[in-house]
Amino acid sequence: MRQLNDLAGTGKLPSDLPERPPAPSGGPKGIAQQAGVKHVIAVMSGKGGVGKSLTAGLLAVGLRRRGMSVGVLDADITGPSIPRMFGVREKPGVVPNTQTLRPPMSKTGIPIMSMNLILPSEEEAVIWRGPMVSGAIRQFFSDVAWGDLDYMIVDLPPGTSDAPLTVMQALPVDGVVLVTTPQALATMVVTKAVRLVKQLGGDILGVVENMSYVSAPDGTRMEVFGPSQGLKLVIASNAPLLAKLPIDPRIAELADSGGIEDYEAPEFDELITNFLAVAPRAAATPGVPAHAHSH
Ligand SMILES: Nc1ncnc2c1ncn2[C@@H]1O[C@H](COP(=O)(O)OP(=O)(O)O)[C@@H](O)[C@H]1O
Ligand SMILES: [Mg+2]
């Protein structure tokens, strides 16, 4: 990682580079392999700061709570925020005699891989060009000992740049969850993401509208960012609205202090129920025999 940072700074390859490992079968442009991961779900948005990482984190926490095995791949290489949300600081270990990393585990047993866990400090900046970012994302998927996962949740950086493109093209993504806020701008930008996913032949599973409203102590709902735009996005994406999450000071507090796994709210429950209604089914779901759900 240090060498790659030097490369980004100087444009010169370090002289003592280790020998390049043989390309995996399928060649370097093929879809990355990870035998134990049943379903890969990408969380995407057009705009930053709309709660994409929060949604990715909540999906993982909620699915784990319902007994499934879940991992989180933080594909936001230059602005990683998953480790802080889960309070994970431990560096990944190396699986003995391999070039594979062992991802640190969250409190409730969610393996997490993020650039933040590799950097010497959380404040360190990653100034990388697109191809390096893409390479890191591929390695986070295929060179990490993820084990058996029903769902891998991939948190993307905002927009439709190299990183989302890499994830959609190089990882075996089963479906995309789109996140937006009620602001018209956010809705407009996320429709670009809709187009990207559709152009790549991806499947949009559903839409989450975050920061939809604030509940006042007397129970009234204030729509801080204006009336819901969720319906527009549902029409544009032809996918269902999975949840309208309120602005909740507890979310901000827990996400900042590494306590996201303690969050409880009816809207959160609803998000998971609705997600499971549209998500590709994990064959290992208790009571559901494998291949019972033919599409
Ligand atoms: N519904 C919400 N209520 C309160 N704070 C929120 C909510 N959604 C997101 N936040 C906070 O807003 C900030 C941005 O959210 P984040 O998930 O990092 O956005 P993104 O990944 O889309 O850039 C974070 O500090 C997060 O804790
Ligand atoms: Mg984020």
Side-chain angles (χ1 to χ4, degrees):
M1 290 301 167
R2 191 175 352 94
Q3 289 176 328
L4 280 173
N5 267 328
D6 289 346
L7 168 65
T10 63
K12 282 200 197 85
L13 276 177
S15 53
D16 54 343
L17 272 186
E19 215 168 300
R20 189 190 166 88
S25 57
K29 284 239 160 11
I31 301 221
Q33 302 291 313
Q34 187 60 249
V37 176
K38 295 201 184 81
H39 298 292
V40 177
I41 308 294
V43 181
M44 199 185 265
S45 77
K47 209 171 155 291
V50 297
K52 182 172 10 63
S53 299
L54 175 81
T55 303
L58 287 181
L59 279 174
V61 171
L63 293 169
R64 181 82 196 106
R65 236 177 241 174
R66 296 198 188 189
M68 280 159 259
S69 51
V70 192
V72 183
L73 190 163
D74 187 352
D76 197 343
I77 300 295
T78 52
S81 55
I82 292 290
R84 164 163 292 233
M85 202 181 287
F86 283 87
V88 169
R89 261 183 233 101
E90 189 197 332
K91 297 222 177 299
V94 177
V95 181
N97 306 319
T98 68
Q99 297 212 358
T100 312
L101 291 180
R102 188 188 305 289
M105 288 278 178
S106 77
K107 280 185 288 245
T108 63
I110 299 173
I112 287 172
M113 194 61 204
S114 170
M115 200 59 202
N116 249 5
L117 301 172
I118 289 175
L119 296 172
S121 86
E122 217 186 24
E123 286 79 26
E124 198 99 352
V126 178
I127 309 161
W128 282 6
R129 294 190 191 281
M132 290 157 78
V133 169
S134 296
I137 293 173
R138 291 182 67 111
Q139 285 199 294
F140 278 6
F141 185 76
S142 45
D143 297 352
V144 169
W146 287 105
D148 290 327
L149 297 181
D150 294 320
Y151 293 100
M152 171 182 285
I153 310 292
V154 182
D155 182 27
L156 290 173
T160 46
S161 61
D162 279 338
L165 211 64
T166 297
V167 170
M168 292 306 297
Q169 293 189 314
L171 305 194
V173 174
D174 289 286
V176 175
V177 172
L178 291 173
V179 183
T180 188
T181 57
Q183 291 121 305
L185 178 67
T187 310
M188 187 199 78
V189 185
V190 82
T191 51
K192 287 182 205 266
V194 172
R195 250 173 253 144
L196 174 87
V197 176
K198 293 204 164 157
Q199 273 174 25
L200 296 175
D203 190 14
I204 298 172
L205 295 175
V207 174
V208 173
E209 188 177 83
N210 186 30
M211 310 192 195
S212 289
Y213 57 88
V214 177
S215 290
D218 67 359
T220 53
R221 291 180 171 194
M222 289 178 288
E223 295 181 322
V224 186
F225 293 128
S228 172
Q229 304 269 329
L231 194 61
K232 275 190 202 161
L233 199 56
V234 164
I235 293 166
S237 64
N238 194 25
L241 189 65
L242 299 179
K244 284 168 85 163
L245 301 176
I247 296 178
D248 181 350
R250 254 182 68 74
I251 290 186
E253 189 191 310
L254 288 172
D256 261 3
S257 64
I260 194 68
E261 286 160 300
D262 299 329
Y263 187 60
E264 275 175 47
E267 297 84 1
F268 173 26
D269 243 25
E270 208 180 295
L271 165 68
I272 303 303
T273 302
N274 290 339
F275 172 82
L276 284 171
V278 295
R281 278 311 191 92
T285 304
V288 181
H291 310 300
H293 298 265
S294 54
H295 296 289

